[in-house]
mmCIF file of all heavy atoms in Angstrom:
data_model
loop_
_atom_site.group_PDB
_atom_site.id
_atom_site.type_symbol
_atom_site.label_atom_id
_atom_site.label_comp_id
_atom_site.label_asym_id
_atom_site.label_seq_id
_atom_site.Cartn_x
_atom_site.Cartn_y
_atom_site.Cartn_z
ATOM 1 N N ILE A 291 -78.603 161.200 18.064
ATOM 2 C CA ILE A 291 -79.149 162.422 17.448
ATOM 3 C C ILE A 291 -79.612 163.401 18.515
ATOM 4 O O ILE A 291 -79.289 164.586 18.473
ATOM 5 C CB ILE A 291 -80.304 162.071 16.479
ATOM 6 C CG1 ILE A 291 -79.739 161.417 15.223
ATOM 7 C CG2 ILE A 291 -81.129 163.299 16.132
ATOM 8 C CD1 ILE A 291 -80.793 160.881 14.277
ATOM 9 N N HIS A 292 -80.360 162.911 19.482
ATOM 10 C CA HIS A 292 -80.863 163.792 20.535
ATOM 11 C C HIS A 292 -79.740 164.273 21.446
ATOM 12 O O HIS A 292 -79.706 165.444 21.823
ATOM 13 C CB HIS A 292 -81.962 163.092 21.330
ATOM 14 C CG HIS A 292 -83.253 162.997 20.582
ATOM 15 N ND1 HIS A 292 -84.382 162.432 21.114
ATOM 16 C CD2 HIS A 292 -83.612 163.380 19.334
ATOM 17 C CE1 HIS A 292 -85.369 162.480 20.242
ATOM 18 N NE2 HIS A 292 -84.923 163.047 19.145
ATOM 19 N N ALA A 293 -78.808 163.395 21.794
ATOM 20 C CA ALA A 293 -77.709 163.784 22.689
ATOM 21 C C ALA A 293 -76.807 164.838 22.052
ATOM 22 O O ALA A 293 -76.368 165.777 22.724
ATOM 23 C CB ALA A 293 -76.884 162.557 23.077
ATOM 24 N N LYS A 294 -76.551 164.701 20.756
ATOM 25 C CA LYS A 294 -75.656 165.635 20.055
ATOM 26 C C LYS A 294 -76.411 166.789 19.413
ATOM 27 O O LYS A 294 -75.788 167.648 18.780
ATOM 28 C CB LYS A 294 -74.853 164.890 18.983
ATOM 29 C CG LYS A 294 -73.846 163.921 19.550
ATOM 30 C CD LYS A 294 -72.991 163.337 18.439
ATOM 31 C CE LYS A 294 -71.905 162.447 18.991
ATOM 32 N NZ LYS A 294 -71.053 161.906 17.907
ATOM 33 N N ARG A 295 -77.752 166.786 19.550
ATOM 34 C CA ARG A 295 -78.600 167.838 18.986
ATOM 35 C C ARG A 295 -78.388 167.987 17.481
ATOM 36 O O ARG A 295 -78.233 169.082 16.952
ATOM 37 C CB ARG A 295 -78.417 169.154 19.727
ATOM 38 C CG ARG A 295 -78.714 169.009 21.225
ATOM 39 C CD ARG A 295 -78.686 170.283 22.025
ATOM 40 N NE ARG A 295 -79.460 171.383 21.494
ATOM 41 C CZ ARG A 295 -80.790 171.518 21.570
ATOM 42 N NH1 ARG A 295 -81.510 170.590 22.148
ATOM 43 N NH2 ARG A 295 -81.386 172.578 21.080
ATOM 44 N N LEU A 296 -78.368 166.838 16.789
ATOM 45 C CA LEU A 296 -78.225 166.828 15.335
ATOM 46 C C LEU A 296 -79.579 167.134 14.693
ATOM 47 O O LEU A 296 -80.626 166.767 15.224
ATOM 48 C CB LEU A 296 -77.731 165.462 14.860
ATOM 49 C CG LEU A 296 -76.382 165.000 15.410
ATOM 50 C CD1 LEU A 296 -76.087 163.564 14.966
ATOM 51 C CD2 LEU A 296 -75.265 165.938 14.985
ATOM 52 N N MET A 297 -79.544 167.791 13.544
ATOM 53 C CA MET A 297 -80.789 168.111 12.847
ATOM 54 C C MET A 297 -81.380 166.848 12.224
ATOM 55 O O MET A 297 -80.656 166.029 11.655
ATOM 56 C CB MET A 297 -80.542 169.176 11.771
ATOM 57 C CG MET A 297 -80.248 170.537 12.364
ATOM 58 S SD MET A 297 -80.074 171.835 11.117
ATOM 59 C CE MET A 297 -78.435 171.440 10.497
ATOM 60 N N HIS A 298 -82.705 166.721 12.374
ATOM 61 C CA HIS A 298 -83.425 165.578 11.832
ATOM 62 C C HIS A 298 -84.849 166.013 11.497
ATOM 63 O O HIS A 298 -85.123 167.210 11.494
ATOM 64 C CB HIS A 298 -83.367 164.385 12.796
ATOM 65 C CG HIS A 298 -83.845 164.657 14.192
ATOM 66 N ND1 HIS A 298 -83.230 165.541 15.057
ATOM 67 C CD2 HIS A 298 -84.885 164.146 14.875
ATOM 68 C CE1 HIS A 298 -83.868 165.562 16.211
ATOM 69 N NE2 HIS A 298 -84.891 164.735 16.122
ATOM 70 N N ARG A 299 -85.730 165.072 11.198
ATOM 71 C CA ARG A 299 -87.066 165.405 10.694
ATOM 72 C C ARG A 299 -88.175 164.852 11.579
ATOM 73 O O ARG A 299 -88.039 163.786 12.152
ATOM 74 C CB ARG A 299 -87.242 164.824 9.290
ATOM 75 C CG ARG A 299 -86.339 165.419 8.257
ATOM 76 C CD ARG A 299 -86.479 164.696 6.938
ATOM 77 N NE ARG A 299 -85.806 165.412 5.876
ATOM 78 C CZ ARG A 299 -85.617 164.929 4.667
ATOM 79 N NH1 ARG A 299 -86.061 163.709 4.360
ATOM 80 N NH2 ARG A 299 -85.002 165.643 3.758
ATOM 81 N N ALA A 300 -89.294 165.601 11.598
ATOM 82 C CA ALA A 300 -90.475 165.171 12.347
ATOM 83 C C ALA A 300 -91.741 165.713 11.683
ATOM 84 O O ALA A 300 -91.678 166.609 10.836
ATOM 85 C CB ALA A 300 -90.402 165.649 13.795
ATOM 86 N N VAL A 301 -92.867 165.162 12.109
ATOM 87 C CA VAL A 301 -94.176 165.646 11.658
ATOM 88 C C VAL A 301 -95.068 165.878 12.869
ATOM 89 O O VAL A 301 -94.903 165.240 13.913
ATOM 90 C CB VAL A 301 -94.877 164.652 10.698
ATOM 91 C CG1 VAL A 301 -94.104 164.507 9.405
ATOM 92 C CG2 VAL A 301 -95.116 163.306 11.352
ATOM 93 N N HIS A 302 -96.002 166.798 12.710
ATOM 94 C CA HIS A 302 -97.073 167.024 13.676
ATOM 95 C C HIS A 302 -98.369 167.063 12.884
ATOM 96 O O HIS A 302 -98.441 167.710 11.836
ATOM 97 C CB HIS A 302 -96.891 168.341 14.434
ATOM 98 C CG HIS A 302 -95.927 168.243 15.558
ATOM 99 N ND1 HIS A 302 -96.316 168.291 16.879
ATOM 100 C CD2 HIS A 302 -94.588 168.076 15.567
ATOM 101 C CE1 HIS A 302 -95.253 168.166 17.653
ATOM 102 N NE2 HIS A 302 -94.187 168.045 16.876
ATOM 103 N N VAL A 303 -99.386 166.358 13.373
ATOM 104 C CA VAL A 303 -100.694 166.324 12.725
ATOM 105 C C VAL A 303 -101.722 166.915 13.680
ATOM 106 O O VAL A 303 -101.795 166.518 14.854
ATOM 107 C CB VAL A 303 -101.104 164.885 12.344
ATOM 108 C CG1 VAL A 303 -102.464 164.888 11.653
ATOM 109 C CG2 VAL A 303 -100.049 164.241 11.454
ATOM 110 N N LEU A 304 -102.511 167.863 13.167
ATOM 111 C CA LEU A 304 -103.609 168.470 13.915
ATOM 112 C C LEU A 304 -104.905 167.858 13.390
ATOM 113 O O LEU A 304 -105.274 168.069 12.232
ATOM 114 C CB LEU A 304 -103.614 169.985 13.730
ATOM 115 C CG LEU A 304 -102.302 170.701 14.077
ATOM 116 C CD1 LEU A 304 -102.412 172.194 13.777
ATOM 117 C CD2 LEU A 304 -101.903 170.453 15.517
ATOM 118 N N LEU A 305 -105.572 167.080 14.233
ATOM 119 C CA LEU A 305 -106.801 166.379 13.865
ATOM 120 C C LEU A 305 -108.000 167.155 14.400
ATOM 121 O O LEU A 305 -108.107 167.381 15.615
ATOM 122 C CB LEU A 305 -106.788 164.961 14.447
ATOM 123 C CG LEU A 305 -108.063 164.133 14.301
ATOM 124 C CD1 LEU A 305 -108.365 163.837 12.831
ATOM 125 C CD2 LEU A 305 -107.948 162.844 15.109
ATOM 126 N N PHE A 306 -108.887 167.560 13.493
ATOM 127 C CA PHE A 306 -110.103 168.284 13.854
ATOM 128 C C PHE A 306 -111.314 167.417 13.533
ATOM 129 O O PHE A 306 -111.275 166.593 12.626
ATOM 130 C CB PHE A 306 -110.207 169.598 13.062
ATOM 131 C CG PHE A 306 -109.182 170.621 13.458
ATOM 132 C CD1 PHE A 306 -107.927 170.614 12.880
ATOM 133 C CD2 PHE A 306 -109.475 171.583 14.411
ATOM 134 C CE1 PHE A 306 -106.966 171.565 13.240
ATOM 135 C CE2 PHE A 306 -108.525 172.532 14.780
ATOM 136 C CZ PHE A 306 -107.267 172.514 14.193
ATOM 137 N N ASN A 307 -112.405 167.633 14.293
ATOM 138 C CA ASN A 307 -113.663 166.956 13.980
ATOM 139 C C ASN A 307 -114.631 167.957 13.348
ATOM 140 O O ASN A 307 -114.306 169.145 13.212
ATOM 141 C CB ASN A 307 -114.255 166.257 15.220
ATOM 142 C CG ASN A 307 -114.635 167.223 16.329
ATOM 143 O OD1 ASN A 307 -114.850 168.426 16.121
ATOM 144 N ND2 ASN A 307 -114.732 166.698 17.542
ATOM 145 N N SER A 308 -115.808 167.489 12.968
ATOM 146 C CA SER A 308 -116.782 168.353 12.284
ATOM 147 C C SER A 308 -117.361 169.430 13.198
ATOM 148 O O SER A 308 -117.973 170.388 12.722
ATOM 149 C CB SER A 308 -117.898 167.517 11.661
ATOM 150 O OG SER A 308 -118.581 166.791 12.663
ATOM 151 N N GLU A 309 -117.152 169.293 14.505
ATOM 152 C CA GLU A 309 -117.604 170.315 15.454
ATOM 153 C C GLU A 309 -116.589 171.459 15.564
ATOM 154 O O GLU A 309 -116.833 172.442 16.257
ATOM 155 C CB GLU A 309 -117.819 169.699 16.841
ATOM 156 C CG GLU A 309 -118.827 168.570 16.876
ATOM 157 C CD GLU A 309 -120.232 169.034 16.543
ATOM 158 O OE1 GLU A 309 -120.635 170.111 17.033
ATOM 159 O OE2 GLU A 309 -120.919 168.322 15.792
ATOM 160 N N GLY A 310 -115.426 171.289 14.926
ATOM 161 C CA GLY A 310 -114.379 172.310 14.985
ATOM 162 C C GLY A 310 -113.390 172.109 16.110
ATOM 163 O O GLY A 310 -112.503 172.932 16.325
ATOM 164 N N GLU A 311 -113.536 171.000 16.853
ATOM 165 C CA GLU A 311 -112.621 170.722 17.960
ATOM 166 C C GLU A 311 -111.339 170.082 17.427
ATOM 167 O O GLU A 311 -111.347 169.384 16.425
ATOM 168 C CB GLU A 311 -113.260 169.753 18.945
ATOM 169 C CG GLU A 311 -114.514 170.278 19.612
ATOM 170 C CD GLU A 311 -115.244 169.182 20.368
ATOM 171 O OE1 GLU A 311 -115.472 168.092 19.796
ATOM 172 O OE2 GLU A 311 -115.594 169.435 21.542
ATOM 173 N N ILE A 312 -110.236 170.324 18.154
ATOM 174 C CA ILE A 312 -108.972 169.664 17.865
ATOM 175 C C ILE A 312 -108.736 168.597 18.928
ATOM 176 O O ILE A 312 -109.074 168.791 20.101
ATOM 177 C CB ILE A 312 -107.793 170.666 17.831
ATOM 178 C CG1 ILE A 312 -106.484 169.928 17.475
ATOM 179 C CG2 ILE A 312 -107.672 171.475 19.105
ATOM 180 C CD1 ILE A 312 -105.289 170.833 17.234
ATOM 181 N N TYR A 313 -108.164 167.474 18.493
ATOM 182 C CA TYR A 313 -107.819 166.411 19.424
ATOM 183 C C TYR A 313 -106.394 166.626 19.911
ATOM 184 O O TYR A 313 -105.480 166.808 19.116
ATOM 185 C CB TYR A 313 -107.929 165.034 18.752
ATOM 186 C CG TYR A 313 -107.718 163.890 19.704
ATOM 187 C CD1 TYR A 313 -108.754 163.437 20.511
ATOM 188 C CD2 TYR A 313 -106.473 163.284 19.830
ATOM 189 C CE1 TYR A 313 -108.566 162.396 21.402
ATOM 190 C CE2 TYR A 313 -106.277 162.236 20.720
ATOM 191 C CZ TYR A 313 -107.326 161.804 21.503
ATOM 192 O OH TYR A 313 -107.142 160.776 22.395
ATOM 193 N N LEU A 314 -106.215 166.623 21.231
ATOM 194 C CA LEU A 314 -104.887 166.725 21.835
ATOM 195 C C LEU A 314 -104.543 165.415 22.509
ATOM 196 O O LEU A 314 -105.408 164.756 23.073
ATOM 197 C CB LEU A 314 -104.845 167.812 22.915
ATOM 198 C CG LEU A 314 -105.098 169.246 22.491
ATOM 199 C CD1 LEU A 314 -104.943 170.164 23.706
ATOM 200 C CD2 LEU A 314 -104.177 169.664 21.385
ATOM 201 N N GLN A 315 -103.279 165.051 22.455
ATOM 202 C CA GLN A 315 -102.800 163.883 23.185
ATOM 203 C C GLN A 315 -101.924 164.337 24.341
ATOM 204 O O GLN A 315 -101.234 165.349 24.251
ATOM 205 C CB GLN A 315 -102.007 162.941 22.280
ATOM 206 C CG GLN A 315 -100.699 163.516 21.761
ATOM 207 C CD GLN A 315 -99.738 162.440 21.312
ATOM 208 O OE1 GLN A 315 -99.068 161.835 22.141
ATOM 209 N NE2 GLN A 315 -99.664 162.219 20.011
ATOM 210 N N LYS A 316 -102.006 163.594 25.432
ATOM 211 C CA LYS A 316 -101.085 163.794 26.551
ATOM 212 C C LYS A 316 -100.050 162.685 26.446
ATOM 213 O O LYS A 316 -100.377 161.499 26.527
ATOM 214 C CB LYS A 316 -101.821 163.738 27.891
ATOM 215 C CG LYS A 316 -100.943 164.157 29.049
ATOM 216 C CD LYS A 316 -101.755 164.342 30.306
ATOM 217 C CE LYS A 316 -100.893 164.959 31.391
ATOM 218 N NZ LYS A 316 -101.682 165.191 32.612
ATOM 219 N N ARG A 317 -98.815 163.095 26.241
ATOM 220 C CA ARG A 317 -97.737 162.150 25.982
ATOM 221 C C ARG A 317 -97.516 161.203 27.157
ATOM 222 O O ARG A 317 -97.585 161.596 28.312
ATOM 223 C CB ARG A 317 -96.442 162.919 25.684
ATOM 224 C CG ARG A 317 -96.541 163.749 24.422
ATOM 225 C CD ARG A 317 -95.366 164.689 24.250
ATOM 226 N NE ARG A 317 -94.094 163.997 24.141
ATOM 227 C CZ ARG A 317 -93.610 163.485 23.021
ATOM 228 N NH1 ARG A 317 -94.294 163.575 21.896
ATOM 229 N NH2 ARG A 317 -92.438 162.877 23.014
ATOM 230 N N SER A 318 -97.238 159.955 26.820
ATOM 231 C CA SER A 318 -96.958 158.935 27.820
ATOM 232 C C SER A 318 -95.749 159.326 28.665
ATOM 233 O O SER A 318 -94.836 160.008 28.190
ATOM 234 C CB SER A 318 -96.676 157.607 27.108
ATOM 235 O OG SER A 318 -96.070 156.692 27.978
ATOM 236 N N MET A 319 -95.728 158.847 29.889
ATOM 237 C CA MET A 319 -94.568 159.074 30.755
ATOM 238 C C MET A 319 -93.371 158.245 30.287
ATOM 239 O O MET A 319 -92.264 158.458 30.753
ATOM 240 C CB MET A 319 -94.920 158.752 32.213
ATOM 241 C CG MET A 319 -95.957 159.701 32.806
ATOM 242 S SD MET A 319 -95.527 161.467 32.665
ATOM 243 C CE MET A 319 -94.217 161.558 33.893
ATOM 244 N N GLU A 320 -93.593 157.310 29.344
ATOM 245 C CA GLU A 320 -92.511 156.509 28.776
ATOM 246 C C GLU A 320 -91.722 157.266 27.718
ATOM 247 O O GLU A 320 -90.657 156.815 27.295
ATOM 248 C CB GLU A 320 -93.077 155.229 28.129
ATOM 249 C CG GLU A 320 -93.760 154.290 29.083
ATOM 250 C CD GLU A 320 -94.403 153.102 28.360
ATOM 251 O OE1 GLU A 320 -93.939 152.737 27.266
ATOM 252 O OE2 GLU A 320 -95.375 152.566 28.904
ATOM 253 N N LYS A 321 -92.225 158.415 27.250
ATOM 254 C CA LYS A 321 -91.581 159.170 26.185
ATOM 255 C C LYS A 321 -90.265 159.765 26.677
ATOM 256 O O LYS A 321 -90.160 160.176 27.826
ATOM 257 C CB LYS A 321 -92.498 160.277 25.669
ATOM 258 C CG LYS A 321 -93.824 159.794 25.118
ATOM 259 C CD LYS A 321 -93.673 158.897 23.935
ATOM 260 C CE LYS A 321 -93.737 159.683 22.661
ATOM 261 N NZ LYS A 321 -93.640 158.868 21.463
ATOM 262 N N ASP A 322 -89.287 159.832 25.776
ATOM 263 C CA ASP A 322 -87.983 160.385 26.156
ATOM 264 C C ASP A 322 -87.939 161.905 26.073
ATOM 265 O O ASP A 322 -87.028 162.528 26.592
ATOM 266 C CB ASP A 322 -86.849 159.754 25.335
ATOM 267 C CG ASP A 322 -86.936 160.044 23.847
ATOM 268 O OD1 ASP A 322 -88.014 160.451 23.369
ATOM 269 O OD2 ASP A 322 -85.925 159.842 23.158
ATOM 270 N N ALA A 323 -88.921 162.504 25.419
ATOM 271 C CA ALA A 323 -89.000 163.964 25.324
ATOM 272 C C ALA A 323 -90.406 164.407 25.735
ATOM 273 O O ALA A 323 -91.395 163.822 25.310
ATOM 274 C CB ALA A 323 -88.701 164.424 23.903
ATOM 275 N N ALA A 324 -90.487 165.410 26.572
ATOM 276 C CA ALA A 324 -91.752 166.000 27.021
ATOM 277 C C ALA A 324 -92.764 164.976 27.555
ATOM 278 O O ALA A 324 -93.950 165.024 27.220
ATOM 279 C CB ALA A 324 -92.374 166.847 25.907
ATOM 280 N N PRO A 325 -92.327 164.054 28.414
ATOM 281 C CA PRO A 325 -93.284 163.086 28.962
ATOM 282 C C PRO A 325 -94.364 163.795 29.782
ATOM 283 O O PRO A 325 -94.085 164.756 30.494
ATOM 284 C CB PRO A 325 -92.413 162.190 29.848
ATOM 285 C CG PRO A 325 -91.231 163.024 30.209
ATOM 286 C CD PRO A 325 -91.000 163.923 29.025
ATOM 287 N N GLY A 326 -95.602 163.340 29.636
ATOM 288 C CA GLY A 326 -96.711 163.893 30.408
ATOM 289 C C GLY A 326 -97.194 165.254 29.944
ATOM 290 O O GLY A 326 -98.062 165.837 30.583
ATOM 291 N N LYS A 327 -96.676 165.746 28.834
ATOM 292 C CA LYS A 327 -97.098 167.059 28.312
ATOM 293 C C LYS A 327 -98.163 166.868 27.239
ATOM 294 O O LYS A 327 -98.197 165.868 26.532
ATOM 295 C CB LYS A 327 -95.904 167.807 27.698
ATOM 296 C CG LYS A 327 -94.745 168.049 28.639
ATOM 297 C CD LYS A 327 -95.070 169.097 29.664
ATOM 298 C CE LYS A 327 -93.826 169.392 30.514
ATOM 299 N NZ LYS A 327 -94.080 170.370 31.522
ATOM 300 N N TRP A 328 -99.040 167.868 27.092
ATOM 301 C CA TRP A 328 -100.040 167.867 26.035
ATOM 302 C C TRP A 328 -99.357 168.231 24.735
ATOM 303 O O TRP A 328 -98.443 169.064 24.704
ATOM 304 C CB TRP A 328 -101.179 168.833 26.359
ATOM 305 C CG TRP A 328 -102.037 168.321 27.470
ATOM 306 C CD1 TRP A 328 -101.939 168.640 28.802
ATOM 307 C CD2 TRP A 328 -103.090 167.374 27.371
ATOM 308 N NE1 TRP A 328 -102.879 167.943 29.517
ATOM 309 C CE2 TRP A 328 -103.604 167.160 28.660
ATOM 310 C CE3 TRP A 328 -103.655 166.672 26.307
ATOM 311 C CZ2 TRP A 328 -104.659 166.291 28.917
ATOM 312 C CZ3 TRP A 328 -104.711 165.808 26.555
ATOM 313 C CH2 TRP A 328 -105.205 165.620 27.849
ATOM 314 N N ASP A 329 -99.807 167.603 23.646
ATOM 315 C CA ASP A 329 -99.110 167.724 22.362
ATOM 316 C C ASP A 329 -100.116 167.662 21.214
ATOM 317 O O ASP A 329 -101.313 167.461 21.418
ATOM 318 C CB ASP A 329 -98.094 166.581 22.256
ATOM 319 C CG ASP A 329 -96.955 166.861 21.296
ATOM 320 O OD1 ASP A 329 -96.978 167.882 20.587
ATOM 321 O OD2 ASP A 329 -96.033 166.028 21.238
ATOM 322 N N SER A 330 -99.584 167.785 20.006
ATOM 323 C CA SER A 330 -100.383 167.659 18.787
ATOM 324 C C SER A 330 -101.149 166.336 18.798
ATOM 325 O O SER A 330 -100.786 165.406 19.514
ATOM 326 C CB SER A 330 -99.472 167.678 17.559
ATOM 327 O OG SER A 330 -98.792 168.889 17.461
ATOM 328 N N SER A 331 -102.146 166.243 17.954
ATOM 329 C CA SER A 331 -102.954 165.026 17.865
ATOM 330 C C SER A 331 -102.081 163.805 17.652
ATOM 331 O O SER A 331 -102.254 162.776 18.305
ATOM 332 C CB SER A 331 -103.952 165.151 16.720
ATOM 333 O OG SER A 331 -104.667 166.362 16.784
ATOM 334 N N ALA A 332 -101.137 163.907 16.729
ATOM 335 C CA ALA A 332 -100.170 162.841 16.456
ATOM 336 C C ALA A 332 -98.874 163.497 16.016
ATOM 337 O O ALA A 332 -98.898 164.544 15.364
ATOM 338 C CB ALA A 332 -100.685 161.900 15.371
ATOM 339 N N SER A 333 -97.758 162.897 16.386
ATOM 340 C CA SER A 333 -96.465 163.452 15.986
ATOM 341 C C SER A 333 -95.416 162.357 16.063
ATOM 342 O O SER A 333 -95.610 161.338 16.729
ATOM 343 C CB SER A 333 -96.070 164.622 16.888
ATOM 344 O OG SER A 333 -95.934 164.197 18.229
ATOM 345 N N GLY A 334 -94.323 162.582 15.371
ATOM 346 C CA GLY A 334 -93.244 161.615 15.431
ATOM 347 C C GLY A 334 -92.147 161.912 14.436
ATOM 348 O O GLY A 334 -92.242 162.840 13.635
#
């Protein structure tokens, strides 16, 4: 799918706390896309 750039589906979740802050994750270097980049709270 990724090699042929076929259309597929994903989700992104923005997690906020009661202080109004958003949680960001820094993607693992093991990830095949955007390793080491800051991203949504959760995605997949």
Side-chain angles (χ1 to χ4, degrees):
I291 288 173
H292 286 181
K294 292 186 176 181
R295 303 185 50 77
L296 300 174
M297 289 184 284
H298 55 296
R299 295 174 169 171
V301 295
H302 279 251
V303 181
L304 305 177
L305 173 65
F306 291 86
N307 64 21
S308 60
E309 301 295 318
E311 297 169 311
I312 182 172
Y313 186 82
L314 297 183
Q315 66 159 280
K316 189 169 188 178
R317 296 170 61 84
S318 165
M319 294 306 287
E320 297 175 26
K321 301 298 267 182
D322 64 343
K327 302 288 185 181
W328 289 96
D329 203 353
S330 298
S331 310
S333 62

